[in-house]
Amino acid sequence: MNRKASFPPIVGPDTRLLLLGSLPGEASLRASRYYAHPQNQFWRLIGAVIGGDDLPALDYEARLAALRQAGVGLWDVVADAIRPGSLDGAIRDHRPNDLAALASGLPMLAAIGFNGGTASRIGRRMMGDAPGVRLIDLPSSSPAYTLSYAAKLSQWMRLREFSRIGRNSMDI
């Protein structure tokens, strides 16, 4: 069985909020894009957080540009692993990404959001104490996690204070 690998991080020197998934699913790997499965609610959730509710309607590059403008970065906690299918529960023999090294190179980083339980479990172990960075567990945006969208959104909105757009709108 072939190993599946994560994508490179999407970050910049002004990244304030880093969102970490576990490992891209089959649809994302085929498309070479983060959160490509049409039923994954990631783009809808983060769009609401940064005030870009129409984010899912944009093409992929425009979505990424909106995230960069909001100071939001993306990556995964798993560098590579054996996993049949797309479910996190099937991840075996994983090698983690060096999250602490990435975080230490982001001078504006204020928070890391873990998209789902597997991302949190692996990511928190890799981050350790992470002084000055708030670690936030989020319900998975995956369609396999059947919590209602409204319930997911209420927890994802905790991220708003860490995005550049959310901070600006709260300062008005």
Coordinates of all heavy atoms in Angstrom, one line a residue, residues 119-170:
A119 N -6.3 15.4 14.3 CA -5.4 16.6 14.2 C -5.0 17.1 15.6 O -3.8 17.4 15.8 CB -6.0 17.7 13.4
S120 N -5.9 17.2 16.5 CA -5.6 17.7 17.8 C -4.7 16.7 18.6 O -3.7 17.2 19.2 CB -6.9 17.9 18.6 OG -6.7 18.2 19.9
R121 N -5.0 15.4 18.5 CA -4.2 14.5 19.3 C -2.7 14.5 18.8 O -1.8 14.6 19.6 CB -4.8 13.1 19.1 CG -4.9 12.2 20.3 CD -5.7 10.9 20.1 NE -6.1 10.5 18.8 CZ -7.3 10.7 18.3 NH1 -8.2 11.4 19.0 NH2 -7.7 10.3 17.1
I122 N -2.5 14.4 17.5 CA -1.2 14.4 17.0 C -0.5 15.8 17.1 O 0.6 15.9 17.5 CB -1.2 14.0 15.5 CG1 -1.6 12.5 15.4 CG2 0.2 14.1 14.9 CD1 -1.9 12.0 14.0
G123 N -1.3 16.8 16.8 CA -0.7 18.2 16.8 C -0.4 18.7 18.2 O 0.7 19.3 18.3
R124 N -1.2 18.4 19.2 CA -0.8 18.9 20.5 C 0.4 18.2 21.0 O 1.3 18.8 21.7 CB -2.0 18.6 21.5 CG -3.1 19.7 21.3 CD -4.3 19.4 22.3 NE -5.2 20.4 22.2 CZ -5.2 21.6 22.9 NH1 -4.2 21.8 23.7 NH2 -6.1 22.5 22.8
R125 N 0.6 16.9 20.7 CA 1.8 16.2 21.1 C 3.0 16.9 20.4 O 4.1 17.0 21.0 CB 1.7 14.8 20.7 CG 2.7 13.9 21.3 CD 2.4 12.4 21.0 NE 1.7 12.1 19.8 CZ 0.6 11.3 19.7 NH1 0.2 10.7 20.7 NH2 0.0 11.2 18.5
M126 N 2.9 17.3 19.2 CA 4.0 17.9 18.4 C 4.3 19.3 18.9 O 5.5 19.7 18.8 CB 3.8 17.9 16.9 CG 3.6 16.5 16.3 SD 5.0 15.4 16.6 CE 6.3 16.4 15.9
M127 N 3.3 20.0 19.3 CA 3.5 21.4 19.7 C 4.0 21.6 21.1 O 4.6 22.6 21.4 CB 2.2 22.2 19.5 CG 1.8 22.4 18.1 SD 3.0 23.3 17.1 CE 3.2 24.8 18.1
G128 N 3.7 20.6 22.0 CA 4.1 20.8 23.4 C 3.4 22.0 24.0 O 2.2 22.2 23.8
D129 N 4.1 22.8 24.7 CA 3.5 24.0 25.4 C 3.1 25.1 24.5 O 2.2 25.8 24.8 CB 4.5 24.5 26.5 CG 4.6 23.5 27.7 OD1 3.7 22.7 27.9 OD2 5.6 23.6 28.4
A130 N 3.9 25.3 23.5 CA 3.6 26.4 22.5 C 3.4 27.7 23.2 O 2.3 28.3 23.1 CB 2.4 26.1 21.6
P131 N 4.4 28.3 23.9 CA 4.2 29.5 24.7 C 3.8 30.7 23.7 O 4.3 30.8 22.6 CB 5.6 29.8 25.3 CG 6.5 28.9 24.6 CD 5.7 27.8 24.0
G132 N 2.8 31.4 24.2 CA 2.3 32.5 23.4 C 1.3 32.2 22.3 O 0.8 33.1 21.6
V133 N 1.1 30.9 22.1 CA 0.2 30.5 21.0 C -1.0 29.7 21.6 O -0.8 28.7 22.4 CB 0.9 29.6 20.0 CG1 -0.1 29.1 18.9 CG2 2.0 30.3 19.3
R134 N -2.2 30.1 21.3 CA -3.4 29.4 21.9 C -3.7 28.2 21.0 O -3.8 28.4 19.8 CB -4.6 30.4 21.9 CG -5.7 29.8 22.7 CD -6.5 30.9 23.3 NE -7.9 30.4 23.5 CZ -9.0 31.0 23.2 NH1 -8.9 32.3 22.8 NH2 -10.1 30.5 23.4
L135 N -3.9 27.1 21.6 CA -4.3 25.8 20.9 C -5.8 25.6 21.0 O -6.3 25.5 22.2 CB -3.5 24.7 21.4 CG -1.9 24.8 21.4 CD1 -1.3 23.6 21.9 CD2 -1.4 25.1 20.0
I136 N -6.5 25.5 19.9 CA -7.9 25.4 19.9 C -8.4 24.1 19.2 O -8.1 23.9 18.0 CB -8.5 26.6 19.3 CG1 -8.1 27.9 20.0 CG2 -10.1 26.5 19.3 CD1 -8.4 29.2 19.2
D137 N -9.1 23.3 19.9 CA -9.7 22.1 19.3 C -11.0 22.5 18.6 O -11.9 23.2 19.2 CB -10.0 21.0 20.4 CG -8.7 20.5 21.0 OD1 -7.6 20.6 20.3 OD2 -8.7 20.0 22.1
L138 N -11.2 22.0 17.4 CA -12.4 22.3 16.6 C -13.1 21.0 16.2 O -12.4 20.0 16.0 CB -12.0 23.0 15.4 CG -11.3 24.4 15.6 CD1 -10.7 24.9 14.3 CD2 -12.3 25.4 16.1
P139 N -14.4 21.0 16.0 CA -15.1 19.8 15.5 C -14.6 19.7 14.0 O -14.5 20.7 13.3 CB -16.5 20.1 15.6 CG -16.6 21.6 15.7 CD -15.3 22.1 16.4
S140 N -14.4 18.5 13.5 CA -14.0 18.3 12.2 C -15.0 18.8 11.2 O -16.2 18.7 11.3 CB -13.8 16.8 11.9 OG -13.5 16.5 10.6
S141 N -14.4 19.4 10.1 CA -15.2 19.9 9.0 C -15.6 18.8 8.0 O -16.4 19.0 7.1 CB -14.5 21.0 8.2 OG -13.3 20.4 7.6
S142 N -15.1 17.6 8.3 CA -15.4 16.4 7.4 C -16.8 16.0 7.4 O -17.5 16.1 8.4 CB -14.5 15.2 7.9 OG -14.9 14.0 7.3
P143 N -17.3 15.6 6.3 CA -18.7 15.0 6.2 C -18.9 13.8 7.1 O -20.0 13.4 7.5 CB -19.0 14.8 4.7 CG -17.6 14.7 4.1 CD -16.7 15.5 4.9
A144 N -17.7 13.1 7.4 CA -17.8 11.9 8.2 C -18.2 12.2 9.7 O -18.6 11.4 10.4 CB -16.5 11.1 8.2
Y145 N -17.9 13.5 10.1 CA -18.2 13.9 11.4 C -19.6 14.6 11.3 O -19.7 15.7 10.8 CB -17.2 14.9 12.0 CG -17.4 15.2 13.4 CD1 -17.2 14.2 14.4 CD2 -17.7 16.5 13.8 CE1 -17.4 14.5 15.7 CE2 -17.8 16.8 15.2 CZ -17.7 15.8 16.1 OH -17.9 16.1 17.5
T146 N -20.6 13.9 11.9 CA -22.0 14.3 11.6 C -22.6 15.3 12.5 O -23.8 15.5 12.5 CB -22.9 13.0 11.6 OG1 -22.8 12.4 12.9 CG2 -22.5 12.1 10.5
L147 N -21.9 16.1 13.3 CA -22.4 17.2 14.0 C -23.0 18.2 13.0 O -22.5 18.4 11.9 CB -21.2 17.8 14.8 CG -21.6 18.9 15.8 CD1 -22.4 18.3 17.0 CD2 -20.3 19.5 16.4
S148 N -24.1 18.8 13.4 CA -24.7 19.8 12.5 C -23.8 20.9 12.2 O -22.9 21.3 12.9 CB -26.0 20.4 13.1 OG -25.7 21.3 14.2
Y149 N -24.0 21.5 11.0 CA -23.2 22.7 10.6 C -23.3 23.8 11.6 O -22.3 24.4 12.0 CB -23.7 23.2 9.2 CG -23.0 24.5 8.8 CD1 -21.7 24.4 8.4 CD2 -23.6 25.7 9.0 CE1 -21.0 25.6 8.0 CE2 -22.9 26.9 8.6 CZ -21.6 26.8 8.2 OH -20.9 28.0 7.9
A150 N -24.5 24.1 12.1 CA -24.7 25.2 13.1 C -23.8 24.9 14.4 O -23.2 25.8 14.9 CB -26.1 25.3 13.5
A151 N -23.8 23.7 14.8 CA -23.0 23.3 16.0 C -21.5 23.5 15.7 O -20.8 23.9 16.6 CB -23.4 21.9 16.5
K152 N -21.1 23.0 14.5 CA -19.7 23.2 14.2 C -19.3 24.7 14.1 O -18.3 25.1 14.6 CB -19.4 22.6 12.8 CG -19.4 21.0 12.8 CD -19.1 20.5 11.4 CE -19.2 19.0 11.4 NZ -18.9 18.4 10.1
L153 N -20.2 25.5 13.4 CA -19.9 26.9 13.3 C -19.8 27.6 14.6 O -18.9 28.5 14.7 CB -21.0 27.5 12.4 CG -20.9 29.0 12.1 CD1 -19.6 29.3 11.3 CD2 -22.1 29.5 11.3
S154 N -20.6 27.3 15.5 CA -20.5 28.0 16.8 C -19.2 27.8 17.5 O -18.6 28.7 18.1 CB -21.7 27.6 17.8 OG -21.4 26.3 18.2
Q155 N -18.6 26.6 17.3 CA -17.2 26.4 17.8 C -16.1 27.0 16.9 O -15.1 27.5 17.4 CB -17.0 24.9 18.0 CG -17.9 24.4 19.1 CD -17.5 23.0 19.5 OE1 -16.4 22.7 19.7 NE2 -18.6 22.1 19.6
W156 N -16.3 27.0 15.6 CA -15.3 27.6 14.7 C -15.3 29.1 14.9 O -14.2 29.7 14.7 CB -15.6 27.2 13.3 CG -15.1 25.8 12.9 CD1 -15.5 24.6 13.4 CD2 -14.0 25.6 12.0 NE1 -14.8 23.6 12.8 CE2 -13.9 24.1 11.9 CE3 -13.2 26.4 11.2 CZ2 -12.9 23.5 11.1 CZ3 -12.3 25.8 10.4 CH2 -12.1 24.4 10.4
M157 N -16.4 29.7 15.3 CA -16.4 31.2 15.4 C -15.4 31.7 16.5 O -15.1 32.8 16.5 CB -17.8 31.7 15.6 CG -18.7 31.6 14.3 SD -18.0 32.4 12.9 CE -18.3 34.1 13.3
R158 N -15.0 30.8 17.4 CA -14.0 31.2 18.4 C -12.7 31.6 17.7 O -11.9 32.3 18.3 CB -13.7 30.0 19.3 CG -14.9 29.6 20.1 CD -14.5 28.4 21.0 NE -14.2 27.2 20.3 CZ -13.4 26.2 20.7 NH1 -13.0 26.2 21.9 NH2 -13.2 25.2 19.9
L159 N -12.5 31.2 16.4 CA -11.3 31.6 15.7 C -11.3 33.0 15.2 O -10.2 33.6 14.9 CB -11.1 30.7 14.5 CG -11.0 29.2 14.8 CD1 -10.9 28.4 13.5 CD2 -9.8 28.9 15.6
R160 N -12.4 33.6 15.2 CA -12.6 35.0 14.6 C -11.6 36.0 15.2 O -11.1 36.8 14.4 CB -14.0 35.4 14.7 CG -14.3 36.7 13.9 CD -15.8 36.9 13.8 NE -16.1 38.0 13.0 CZ -16.1 38.1 11.7 NH1 -15.9 37.1 11.0 NH2 -16.4 39.2 11.1
E161 N -11.4 36.0 16.5 CA -10.6 37.0 17.1 C -9.1 36.9 16.6 O -8.3 37.8 16.8 CB -10.6 36.9 18.6 CG -10.0 35.6 19.2 CD -10.0 35.5 20.7 OE1 -9.2 36.2 21.3 OE2 -10.9 34.8 21.2
F162 N -8.7 35.7 16.0 CA -7.3 35.5 15.6 C -7.1 35.9 14.2 O -5.9 36.0 13.8 CB -6.9 34.1 15.9 CG -7.0 33.8 17.4 CD1 -8.0 33.0 17.9 CD2 -6.1 34.3 18.3 CE1 -8.2 32.7 19.2 CE2 -6.2 34.1 19.7 CZ -7.3 33.2 20.1
S163 N -8.1 36.0 13.4 CA -7.9 36.4 12.0 C -7.8 37.9 11.9 O -8.3 38.6 12.7 CB -9.1 35.9 11.1 OG -10.2 36.7 11.1
R164 N -7.0 38.3 10.9 CA -6.8 39.8 10.8 C -8.2 40.5 10.5 O -8.5 41.5 11.0 CB -5.9 40.1 9.6 CG -5.5 41.5 9.5 CD -4.4 41.8 8.5 NE -3.3 40.9 8.6 CZ -3.0 40.0 7.7 NH1 -3.6 39.9 6.6 NH2 -1.9 39.3 7.9
I165 N -9.0 39.9 9.7 CA -10.3 40.4 9.4 C -11.2 40.5 10.6 O -11.9 41.5 10.9 CB -11.0 39.7 8.2 CG1 -10.1 39.9 6.9 CG2 -12.4 40.1 8.0 CD1 -10.5 39.1 5.8
G166 N -11.3 39.4 11.3 CA -12.1 39.3 12.6 C -11.6 40.4 13.6 O -12.4 41.0 14.2
R167 N -10.3 40.5 13.7 CA -9.8 41.5 14.7 C -10.2 42.9 14.2 O -10.6 43.7 15.0 CB -8.3 41.4 14.8 CG -7.8 40.2 15.6 CD -6.3 40.2 15.6 NE -5.8 41.4 16.2 CZ -5.6 41.6 17.5 NH1 -6.0 40.7 18.3 NH2 -5.0 42.7 17.9
N168 N -10.1 43.2 12.9 CA -10.4 44.6 12.4 C -11.8 44.9 12.6 O -12.2 46.0 13.0 CB -10.0 44.7 11.0 CG -8.5 44.7 10.8 OD1 -7.7 44.9 11.7 ND2 -8.1 44.5 9.5
S169 N -12.7 43.9 12.4 CA -14.2 44.2 12.5 C -14.5 44.3 13.9 O -15.5 45.1 14.2 CB -15.0 43.1 11.8 OG -14.8 41.8 12.5
M170 N -13.8 43.7 14.9 CA -14.1 43.9 16.3 C -13.6 45.2 16.9 O -14.0 45.6 17.9 CB -13.6 42.6 17.1 CG -14.4 41.4 16.7 SD -14.2 40.0 17.9 CE -12.4 39.8 17.7

